[in-house]
Amino acid sequence: DGQTLLLVTDGLVERRDAHLDAGLATLREALRDLGETPLEELCDTLLARMLPEPGADDVAIVAVRAHPEDRLRPPEADPDRLPPGID
């Protein structure tokens, strides 16, 4: 409970001029202080930290956080709530 599953495409961590391990280390460092951050903010912050300039590759991020079943779901977990701009 409370853990975040983060799925990313290689465009977030791979660079032509750097080894993949360096990109993964940068990702771990970027995530170090974002554990309790709301998911939308986590994704936005992660993109800003990892890609300060537009990259040459496509990037996709999916973040999922499990919540305890014996407590009320947080408002952002409402199945009827859509992100702004989506009808």
Side-chain angles (χ1 to χ4, degrees), residues 1-82:
D1 292 339
Q3 299 294 312
T4 302
L5 172 65
L6 187 67
L7 305 172
V8 302
T9 57
D10 62 341
L12 188 67
V13 294
E14 279 189 335
R15 301 292 175 271
R16 294 182 194 273
D17 60 344
H19 195 274
L20 177 59
D21 289 340
L24 292 172
T26 301
L27 175 61
R28 283 191 295 276
E29 183 62 32
L31 289 168
R32 193 166 311 256
D33 64 337
L34 297 175
E36 300 292 323
T37 306
L39 292 181
E40 185 173 350
E41 183 182 340
L42 181 146
C43 291
D44 290 344
T45 302
L46 184 59
L47 285 171
R49 290 180 182 182
M50 294 294 296
L51 302 170
E53 298 176 12
D57 200 355
D58 293 338
V59 174
I61 299 174
V62 175
V64 178
R65 185 169 293 148
H67 295 282
E69 291 186 38
D70 61 341
R71 289 186 238 150
L72 291 176
R73 293 177 349 153
E76 65 269 15
D78 184 353
D80 297 324
R81 180 177 170 266
L82 294 175

